[in-house]
Amino acid sequence: MNTFSQLPIIPENLQTSNNGNRKVEDFLQDLEILEQEIRELYVEDQTPLVIGWSGGKDSTAVLQLIWNAIAFLPEEERTRKIYVLTNDTLVENPIISAWIRNSLNQITIAAQQQKMPIETHLTYPAIKDTFWCCLIGKGYPAPRNRFRWCTERLKISPADAFINETIRNHGQAILALGTRKAESIKRAASMAKHRKWRVRDRLNSNPKRPNCLIYLPIEDWRTDEVWMYLMQFKNPWGQDNKDLFEMYRGATADNECPLVIDTSTPSCGSSRFGCWVCTLVSQDKSMEAMILNDEAKEWMQPLLDIRNELDVKNDHDKRDFRRIFGTVQLFERNVDGETSVEPIPGPYKREWREYWLRRVLEAQQQVRKNAPPDMRDITLIQPEELSEIRRIWLEEKHEFDDSLPRIYQEVTGEPFEDPRHGGGNAMLGVDEWQILEELSEGDPMYLELMTRLLDTERQYKTMSRRTGIYDTLERCFETSSRSQSEAIANAHYQRDLKQAAKEGKVEDIKKIVNGEKPEPPQQLNWASLKFS
């Protein structure tokens, strides 16, 4: 029995296309050829097939297409594993996240009932790489196109880990994606670039991922053809594709986030199915439309508020004047036609990291209170993330007053149960921190230096060998002993000296060495304090 005999009457508006030359009859013929191609590819060997499924229209079309093609094979020939790979960034749009989880459950049940060799796999970023551990814990600023730190950590690495594990276990793999030329000019150009690695029609090798072929079954499909296929062919795992269409109709954009497997995959851009915290776009039109068009989704407003608050043009006042490792780095920029040399802003300051923690916890409380009953267990920030943030603040930021449990209880009214830590630092705590705050008399750098020195000593106290403690203490002075103005002045001093040496300006170097140009204030160090 042929799949196409199940096709209902095709609506008149889909009989021809206004954005291409292929008619419906031609599309159906090509579809039949494509299904046969998939079956032939499947029975060639036992190389596992990994389908990158994001829950959107294109990846759903690919999964449905492969499922329907393989279903025509006798059961004894369905021996090759098919993995449905989905990645959860932990900051997905909650509506889409719920849709995906429900879909994966239905796929699993239907595959077992139909005896299809399909397994679902949901991957997550490592806890240390999650959005909130990076932004609230380490202080990374909200992502920008010039500092797109989120894509690699949240999307590429988790998918890569599963694909690489599959290759290690089976020797090779084929990755099927819903990438299409018609999605955008940029996507078409990227696909054209990768055609030089083509093995055969719709099948590419990838030099960045040895032993993994990329299969693009719908690369030439138009958007109307994708929807025609989804609307006219029954979903094999029992979902109604009209529900998917309704989700798309609920917002203005027309693209979902694909499964991102490398940096050549474009960002979600103004797409519908993306992270609710995404600041790589000017505004989250999809969530705005969901809230505006459906009163039942107004409970998501706190999420949109946080996203918009993160997305500010200039957040330098919220960030340290040093980079994350404590050094001042300078860059040149044009200001009203003049070249200005300024420090590159670093991570969020302590007060802003604590602020964002409060905002996320408050939003979590609000949505749990106002969301529909089936969404009231929503978690915006995982307990494991809170534990990792606490560890970063205690061990890497040396903030031994341990403010996270206090903030958590103030916002939620419940004590924080850390799955990893056993009660924080027994030697140093909030009392010692308050004493140091009083002694510093409002000098933030003095407070930072003292807390770093004390906590460094505490960390080394528990070690069986204290090798390296002097170097570590010296680094505390290098990063924290100068005021902001002194540290920036020193960075300019070092830059001028290096620039003069690079350009061979001997006279300028002599003036600096002989003290004819002002030198920056001398840096404190461990030895000068100990032996002065």
Side-chain angles (χ1 to χ4, degrees):
M1 176 175 155
N2 193 298
T3 307
F4 307 106
S5 64
Q6 302 175 24
L7 187 69
I9 297 175
I10 300 172
E12 290 183 5
N13 64 332
L14 290 178
Q15 291 293 325
T16 59
S17 172
N18 59 6
N19 64 342
N21 297 321
R22 183 162 58 174
K23 296 182 179 180
V24 169
E25 307 86 66
D26 299 328
F27 173 73
L28 294 178
Q29 291 178 4
D30 292 343
L31 189 59
E32 189 168 4
I33 295 172
L34 181 57
E35 281 203 342
Q36 182 59 34
E37 174 187 289
I38 291 171
R39 284 190 284 271
E40 292 174 357
L41 180 66
Y42 179 81
V43 298
E44 276 185 0
D45 53 42
Q46 291 300 305
T47 301
L49 183 63
V50 181
I51 302 174
W53 185 73
S54 67
K57 66 182 188 306
D58 295 331
S59 60
T60 297
V62 169
L63 175 56
Q64 182 169 313
L65 182 65
I66 293 175
W67 189 311
N68 286 335
I70 304 305
F72 278 93
L73 292 172
E75 186 179 329
E76 61 272 13
E77 292 186 24
R78 302 181 208 159
T79 57
R80 184 175 177 178
K81 278 289 184 183
I82 299 176
Y83 301 114
V84 177
L85 175 61
T86 306
N87 183 62
D88 184 351
T89 64
L90 299 179
V91 281
E92 301 290 337
N93 181 310
I95 300 296
I96 307 306
S97 181
W99 161 269
I100 287 174
R101 290 174 185 277
N102 181 57
S103 299
L104 289 174
N105 184 52
Q106 288 187 254
I107 290 170
T108 299
I109 294 172
Q112 292 173 349
Q113 292 174 343
Q114 299 174 33
K115 303 198 182 307
M116 293 290 289
I118 294 175
E119 293 181 9
T120 60
H121 290 268
L122 186 60
T123 61
Y124 303 92
I127 289 298
K128 66 181 180 62
D129 291 334
T130 66
F131 186 86
W132 296 124
C133 284
C134 289
L135 188 138
I136 297 177
K138 298 174 184 176
Y140 285 7
R144 291 289 183 267
N145 286 321
R146 287 190 174 185
F147 188 34
R148 189 178 153 187
W149 54 263
C150 53
T151 306
E152 177 73 35
R153 291 172 172 83
L154 304 187
K155 297 183 177 183
I156 297 176
S157 292
D160 254 353
F162 179 85
I163 294 169
N164 291 336
E165 180 67 20
T166 301
I167 293 173
R168 280 194 295 271
N169 292 337
H170 300 276
Q172 57 185 350
I174 295 178
L175 179 61
L177 300 174
T179 310
R180 294 185 300 111
K181 299 173 187 174
E183 289 179 84
S184 67
I185 296 175
K186 185 175 180 181
R187 179 63 62 86
S190 175
M191 293 176 69
K193 173 183 170 185
H194 286 79
R195 285 185 70 89
K196 62 183 178 181
W197 298 308
R198 180 137 292 191
V199 176
R200 63 189 191 202
D201 285 348
R202 292 177 282 275
L203 195 64
N204 296 344
S205 62
N206 190 338
K208 295 182 179 179
R209 187 174 281 105
N211 300 328
C212 182
L213 297 175
I214 308 297
Y215 185 48
L216 308 174
I218 65 169
E219 63 176 352
D220 295 316
W221 287 23
R222 301 185 307 267
T223 300
D224 62 329
E225 292 174 335
V226 174
W227 282 120
M228 178 177 68
Y229 178 71
L230 292 175
M231 293 299 101
Q232 301 300 325
F233 286 79
K234 185 178 179 181
N235 184 299
W237 56 91
Q239 273 193 321
D240 189 344
N241 287 336
K242 291 180 181 178
D243 294 337
L244 179 63
F245 181 77
E246 288 300 319
M247 283 202 301
Y248 272 86
R249 193 168 65 172
T252 57
D254 190 38
N255 298 316
E256 78 279 6
C257 268
L259 177 75
V260 181
I261 60 166
D262 56 41
T263 53
S264 68
T265 307
S267 171
C268 305
S270 56
S271 65
R272 171 184 309 282
F273 299 159
C275 304
W276 65 266
V277 292
C278 184
T279 51
L280 294 172
V281 292
S282 57
Q283 62 184 117
D284 189 340
K285 295 180 180 180
S286 60
M287 185 173 285
E288 288 178 357
M290 285 183 177
I291 295 171
L292 182 64
N293 297 337
D294 189 348
E295 290 184 0
K297 294 183 175 66
E298 289 181 353
W299 59 269
M300 292 196 298
Q301 184 65 48
L303 280 63
L304 185 61
D305 292 341
I306 289 178
R307 183 259 163 218
N308 291 339
E309 195 173 353
L310 281 169
D311 187 21
V312 295
K313 290 184 178 179
N314 189 339
D315 60 358
H316 293 185
D317 61 317
K318 299 178 175 65
R319 295 163 62 183
D320 201 319
F321 66 94
R322 300 158 297 178
R323 303 307 299 272
I324 198 163
F325 295 111
T327 57
V328 177
Q329 293 183 4
L330 303 175
F331 75 106
E332 294 182 2
R333 71 187 187 103
N334 188 292
V335 180
D336 299 327
E338 299 289 334
T339 299
S340 176
V341 181
E342 302 173 3
I344 301 174
Y348 286 127
K349 299 174 184 176
R350 171 190 165 111
E351 59 265 34
W352 284 101
R353 287 184 278 111
E354 293 182 350
Y355 173 81
W356 293 125
L357 175 62
R358 284 184 181 275
R359 292 286 285 115
V360 174
L361 290 173
E362 288 168 353
Q364 182 169 277
Q365 292 293 101
Q366 287 179 277
V367 297
R368 285 179 174 178
K369 177 181 178 182
N370 299 322
D374 60 335
M375 297 290 289
R376 287 187 182 173
D377 60 348
I378 188 171
T379 300
L380 301 183
I381 184 166
Q382 304 292 324
E384 293 80 8
E385 291 180 278
L386 291 168
S387 178
E388 175 64 8
I389 290 169
R390 185 187 188 193
R391 186 200 66 78
I392 293 170
W393 288 3
L394 283 171
E395 298 180 9
E396 298 181 17
K397 303 289 187 182
H398 302 284
E399 295 165 358
F400 54 74
D401 60 327
D402 198 15
S403 61
L404 186 143
R406 170 177 53 81
I407 294 172
Y408 184 89
Q409 184 155 19
E410 289 174 356
V411 175
T412 67
E414 301 174 356
F416 176 60
E417 297 181 3
D418 195 327
R420 178 168 51 185
H421 283 277
N425 183 351
M427 295 177 60
L428 298 170
V430 65
D431 292 340
E432 289 76 16
W433 189 278
Q434 290 174 351
I435 292 172
L436 289 174
E437 280 186 321
E438 294 175 6
L439 293 174
S440 66
E441 298 180 343
D443 185 340
M445 297 308 297
Y446 183 81
L447 174 62
E448 180 181 299
L449 177 60
M450 293 300 105
T451 55
R452 285 173 62 85
L453 289 172
L454 282 172
D455 200 52
T456 296
E457 170 61 30
R458 177 199 64 80
Q459 290 180 1
Y460 273 88
K461 184 178 179 64
T462 60
M463 297 182 182
S464 57
R465 298 183 63 190
R466 291 162 60 87
T467 304
I469 185 172
Y470 293 143
D471 291 337
T472 307
L473 291 171
E474 198 66 41
R475 282 195 294 272
C476 294
F477 285 103
E478 290 173 1
T479 61
S480 308
S481 66
R482 292 187 175 99
S483 67
Q484 178 172 340
S485 60
E486 290 171 344
I488 294 174
N490 179 65
H492 280 278
Y493 177 84
Q494 299 295 336
R495 178 181 182 274
D496 293 342
L497 188 60
K498 289 180 181 179
Q499 189 67 23
K502 182 180 179 181
E503 297 175 1
K505 296 181 178 179
V506 178
E507 292 302 319
D508 286 353
I509 296 174
K510 286 180 178 179
K511 289 178 181 179
I512 295 173
V513 172
N514 294 330
E516 295 180 27
K517 288 190 176 182
E519 293 187 20
Q522 293 300 308
Q523 175 189 301
L524 289 174
N525 57 51
W526 173 84
S528 65
L529 283 185
K530 183 174 180 64
F531 298 111
S532 61

